Structure formats: C-alpha cells, structure tokens
Amino acid sequence: MSAMPATARHRDSEIDAMNAELEQFLTFLLADEEYAVDILRVQEIRVWAPVTRIPNSPPYLKGVLNLRGTIIPVIDLRCRFAMAQREYGPQTVVVVVRVMTDALQRTMGIVVDSVEETFAVAREQIMAAPHVGSNIDAEFVRGLISVDKKMIVLLDVDRLLNSDELAIEQTAE
C-alpha cells in the first residue's frame, strides 16, 4: 500500500502528463528578432571569445574553438541568414548546441547577439511556418511560437547546422 493519498498520486500523474507534452526552448536575439532552439540541444552558453579561422571556409563559419579538448565549429547566424553584420559586444555569446547527424552527434557553436530567456510551450502551440521569401531558408524553421504577444522563430538545429559546407568531421561522442 502506498503512503501517498490517491488524490496526490492522481495530481502527480496529471502533472507528469502535462510536462510530457511541453517542450522547452532557449531564445536569443538576432537583429532584434527573437529565435529559439530546443533547450535539450543546448550544451552551454559562452561569452564570445576569438576563434581560430579556417582557410577557404564559408563566410558564416567564424572558425573553430577548443572546448575542453573537442574542436567545434562556430557559426555566425547573422552571416548565415544574410543579416547586416555588427561588431560583437559584451552581450554577444556562443550557444553551444548538440547537432544530430545520421551517424553521430556533433557539437557546434552559434554566435548570437544575446540570450533572452527559456520558456515551455505545449507542442500544439507550435505553428507551422509560412512559406514566404526570407533570408532564412524555411527548411531551417521548425515552426513559430507566440509568447507574450511576440512571435518567435523556432529553428531546427539539425537541418541548419548539417549542410554539406559544414561537414567538419568530428569523432563520435
């Protein structure tokens, strides 16, 4: 016999069901627009520090950094999305994310203007992105989320960071 009353067990199972349907995201700014990535893909957030440039790499690949013995590519999302460039400042950060490929997991950094917040939404609140002309390929957009009267673009990091141009080999982690 359980020591927990039946009503408490029922309430706990309802909370578990609600949490199972929620997804959590980390938001960040690019040119005053808010974007989000699945928080389960975020490994860490680092203050911007210069990286080692790689010759003949795409312009949006800022270089690589040594993250505790693992060399990871660092992508400037402003450049990747053909947005106007600006100098990096004290708010500029690198969001280190885990990207899944067919065979392995890769770790990559994305340079963003600043990190904003984390939030959770129910899956049914994620709206499909409309197909309109934009600097951002719709293939990289998982959907849109409306939070506090603002629209947030939810990025699919697997598609965004798995292009052939970024096929930097890493060992399986």
Side-chain angles (χ1 to χ4, degrees), residues 63 80 108 143 172:
R80 180 75 170 109
M108 302 180 81

Side-chain angles (χ1 to χ4, degrees), residues 20-157:
E21 296 172 5
L22 295 178
E23 290 191 55
Q24 290 188 308
F25 299 95
L26 171 72
T27 65
F28 53 86
L29 289 180
L30 288 174
D32 297 325
E33 297 292 328
E34 203 160 351
Y35 297 85
V37 294
D38 184 340
I39 202 161
L40 296 177
R41 296 302 185 92
V42 176
Q43 180 174 319
E44 65 183 85
I45 299 167
R46 301 174 55 93
V47 174
W48 166 255
V51 295
T52 303
R53 295 195 180 272
I54 303 294
N56 295 324
S57 59
Y60 55 82
L61 178 59
K62 299 307 288 182
V64 295
L65 66 85
N66 184 343
L67 184 66
R68 294 179 290 280
T70 301
I71 304 300
I72 66 167
V74 177
I75 310 300
D76 184 320
L77 279 189
R78 274 182 171 263
C79 188
R80 180 75 170 109
F81 295 159
M83 296 176 172
Q85 293 298 295
R86 77 174 208 187
E87 289 208 23
Y88 295 163
Q91 299 293 318
T92 305
V93 297
V94 176
V95 180
V96 178
V97 294
R98 290 184 297 276
V99 179
M100 304 306 290
T101 65
D102 292 336
L104 56 91
Q105 175 179 296
R106 299 165 61 188
T107 304
M108 302 180 81
I110 53 176
V111 180
V112 300
D113 294 350
S114 64
V115 169
E116 290 298 301
E117 62 181 323
T118 61
F119 64 92
V121 296
R123 287 191 180 107
E124 58 269 8
Q125 290 180 281
I126 299 173
M127 299 172 279
H131 294 280
V132 295
S134 152
N135 291 335
I136 301 173
D137 190 333
E139 172 186 0
F140 307 145
V141 177
R142 179 176 162 204
L144 299 170
I145 304 167
S146 180
V147 176
D148 297 331
K149 298 182 181 179
K150 59 186 174 186
M151 292 299 284
I152 300 171
V153 178
L154 176 57
L155 298 174
D156 184 329
V157 293

